[in-house]
């Protein structure tokens, strides 16, 4: 098959449903108060199976890193935070593989900052947009 037909065939497959459907982006808001000049966790996430094993690592992308600080994303062990009604609530006391977002405000900055992240996972059927409002104090 020559290249022209292979490209056409690939395009037909794509148009015929050979692509993933667009997912609704769920919005989530969080806030944190941090001390000026200190590196602080502002967001943690994990994807956990009912037996408390890790389903996948969260994939985080910085959409807006704020104007007054530095953002770092690290894969670390975290404690999940499920509501009592969730079957995974028992996992809250165990550290699992996850992702942590750190914020370090600029030198001598106090005031407000806003960070936007996008989160997804191979194991979860969802995409989340997280807005973190950060208050920096002395």
């Amino acid at each position: 098959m020559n290249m022209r037909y292979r490209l056409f065939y690939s395009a037909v497959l794509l148009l015929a449903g050979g692509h993933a459907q667009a997912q609704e982006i769920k919005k989530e808001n969080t806030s944190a108060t941090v001390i000026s000049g200190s590196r602080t966790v502002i967001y943690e996430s994990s994807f956990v199976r009912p037996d408390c094993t890790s389903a996948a690592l969260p994939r985080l992308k910085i959409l807006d890193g704020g104007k007054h600080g530095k953002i770092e994303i690290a894969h670390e062990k975290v404690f999940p935070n499920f509501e009592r009604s969730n079957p995974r609530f028992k996992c809250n006391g165990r550290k699992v593989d996850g992702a942590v977002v750190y914020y370090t405000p600029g030198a001598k900055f106090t005031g407000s900052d806003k960070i936007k992240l996008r989160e997804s996972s191979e194991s979860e059927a969802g995409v989340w947009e997280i807005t973190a409002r950060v208050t920096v104090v002395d």
Side-chain angles (χ1 to χ4, degrees):
M1 187 184 294
N2 72 31
M3 183 58 102
R4 185 177 69 186
Y5 290 115
R6 272 189 272 183
L7 290 173
F8 174 75
Y9 183 66
S10 297
V12 168
L13 281 177
L14 186 63
L15 292 172
H19 65 285
Q21 292 185 358
Q23 296 180 2
E24 175 187 345
I25 297 176
K26 300 168 191 101
K27 306 282 185 177
E28 186 176 320
N29 293 304
T30 187
S31 62
T33 300
V34 304
I35 296 172
S36 182
S38 68
R39 180 178 183 242
T40 305
V41 174
I42 61 166
Y43 184 76
E44 292 183 340
S45 181
S46 61
F47 294 113
V48 180
R49 293 185 187 99
D51 68 356
C52 301
T53 58
S54 179
L57 281 176
R59 293 185 295 205
L60 289 164
K61 177 181 179 182
I62 300 168
L63 300 178
D64 180 351
K67 294 179 175 47
H68 306 289
K70 182 176 101 175
I71 299 294
E72 297 172 73
I73 298 172
H75 289 136
E76 298 178 3
K77 297 279 189 184
V78 300
F79 286 106
N81 188 23
F82 293 103
E83 293 180 14
R84 187 171 294 281
S85 61
N86 190 307
R88 294 170 175 88
F89 176 77
K90 66 181 184 256
C91 304
N92 287 359
R94 304 179 192 179
K95 280 198 167 189
V96 298
D97 292 331
V100 178
V101 179
Y102 290 97
Y103 175 83
T104 306
K108 299 183 182 182
F109 172 75
T110 58
S112 299
D113 208 350
K114 182 170 78 171
I115 290 87
K116 281 197 171 193
L117 308 163
R118 177 152 302 144
E119 179 176 31
S120 63
S121 167
E122 294 173 6
S123 70
E124 300 288 326
V127 176
W128 296 265
E129 186 174 286
I130 297 101
T131 300
R133 297 189 186 283
V134 179
T135 302
V136 182
V137 298
D138 272 335

